[in-house]
Amino acid sequence: MELRLDGKRALITAGAAGIGLAIAESMTAAGARVHICDIDEARLAATAKALPGTGRTVADIADAASVDRLFDEALDSLGGLDILVNNAGIAGPTAPAEQIAPADWRHTLAVGLDGAFYCARRAIPLLKRAGGGAIVNIASTAGLMGVPNRSPYAAAKWGLIGLTRTLAMELGPFGIRVNAICPGSVDGPRMDRVIAADAALRQIDPSEVRAAYLAQVSMRTFVDVADIASMAVFICSDAGARISGQALAVDGHTETLAV
Ligand code: NAD
């Protein structure tokens, strides 16, 4: 079965790197017209070769005014909207809760949760006008279980899944499907930073943390950005036409996040 998104107009947040870039590439290959944003202007410009013809806006998803500007520009380039992918989210601090500064808590929630709400509230009227569509929220296995020493991140992702289920109920009658994808640990620079921070906290070697993370997963594997992009294309395509309100883990089956 070939999964196609021909003629679909997609906005993907934090699309200049990692999972967001992989989703932008896969959706473009499936026939969608794509607009991406990122807070990092240089990284965004560097996507020009991989994503020719894609609209780009420098935007901080944690800032409602910046999101408003993003939607104005995306609407100019796409002329409407069928798919919103709320991908932006930061790892936040690694520390016991009592050592986390309120500003770090707030910033992690602002990017990972507030930003998804700011984008959804602007996208909903456009999706209704299109006669239906899909919202995909990139959550995490951290939104499905507790994660010691990552309280802001886990709270942001649990909140995102709550937003997903609630919007699915509000928007189902309009033919708008809302789902979360929950990636496991993705091989790449971000996971390297998370592992380094955890190793520093525990005063052990990063290789031991990596081995412990792999042991938490039934399939003993990290995932690839392409695994997440495939799921995003699937649920936005006709193949996913009856899937809504779900938190879909793509993770090799995480048994626990407690080291
Ligand atoms: P990443 O750290 O590689 O960052 C991707 C992009 O986000 C970067 O280009 C960065 O500039 C941009 N960004 C950061 N803050 C932003 C903001 N305020 N506004 C706009 N753009 C911003 O991220 P990733 O690993 O690709 O993760 C993408 C999503 O997947 C996140 O929501 C993350 O929580 C989730 N996730 C990642 C992993 C993982 O192991 N990497 C696992 C589970 C879930």
Side-chain angles (χ1 to χ4, degrees):
M1 176 178 51
E2 200 190 0
L3 303 174
R4 298 297 308 169
L5 297 173
D6 295 301
K8 301 293 182 196
R9 300 155 297 184
L11 173 58
I12 301 163
T13 68
I19 292 170
L21 178 58
I23 294 174
E25 289 173 338
S26 293
M27 288 197 169
T28 302
R33 286 169 51 220
V34 171
H35 193 99
I36 60 174
C37 78
D38 205 280
I39 198 170
D40 187 326
E41 188 170 2
R43 239 185 226 173
L44 195 62
T47 63
K49 205 170 156 198
L51 293 170
T54 298
R56 290 175 187 75
T57 299
V58 178
D60 176 0
I61 228 65
D63 177 63
S66 188
V67 169
D68 279 341
R69 222 176 6 85
L70 164 64
F71 271 79
D72 291 346
E73 290 188 17
L75 204 51
D76 277 350
S77 77
L78 297 175
L81 195 69
D82 304 291
I83 296 167
L84 167 66
V85 182
N86 281 316
N87 167 66
I90 55 169
T94 299
E98 72 271 25
Q99 291 174 19
I100 290 174
D104 289 338
W105 167 274
R106 182 85 289 281
H107 187 50
T108 310
L109 272 287
V111 180
L113 183 55
D114 299 3
F117 167 71
Y118 298 153
C119 289
R121 65 179 286 282
R122 285 297 310 263
I124 289 164
L126 303 175
L127 298 173
K128 285 182 175 172
R129 202 181 305 158
I135 298 176
V136 179
N137 295 322
I138 305 300
S140 169
T141 49
L144 301 172
M145 53 191 87
V147 193
N149 301 316
R150 299 282 303 282
S151 54
Y153 185 70
K157 296 305 189 185
W158 278 74
L160 193 54
I161 291 174
L163 182 67
T164 300
R165 296 223 158 101
T166 301
L167 292 182
M169 294 168 79
E170 289 186 21
L171 301 175
F174 299 94
I176 300 167
R177 300 178 296 104
V178 188
N179 291 287
I181 298 176
C182 300
S185 297
V186 175
D187 244 336
R190 173 177 166 134
M191 192 43 58
D192 293 344
R193 288 194 298 274
V194 168
I195 287 172
D198 205 354
L201 182 72
R202 292 169 203 284
Q203 298 186 308
I204 57 175
D205 193 80
S207 63
E208 286 182 58
V209 175
R210 195 180 171 87
Y213 284 10
L214 281 169
Q216 296 167 342
V217 180
S218 304
M219 294 184 71
R220 305 288 185 259
T221 181
F222 285 0
V223 298
D224 190 85
V225 291
D227 300 322
I228 312 305
S230 298
M231 176 62 94
V233 170
F234 178 84
I235 50 177
C236 292
S237 74
D238 287 347
R242 303 286 177 273
I243 302 173
S244 194
Q246 303 304 307
L248 304 157
V250 179
D251 66 337
H253 186 229
T254 307
E255 299 168 12
T256 176
L257 288 171
V259 177

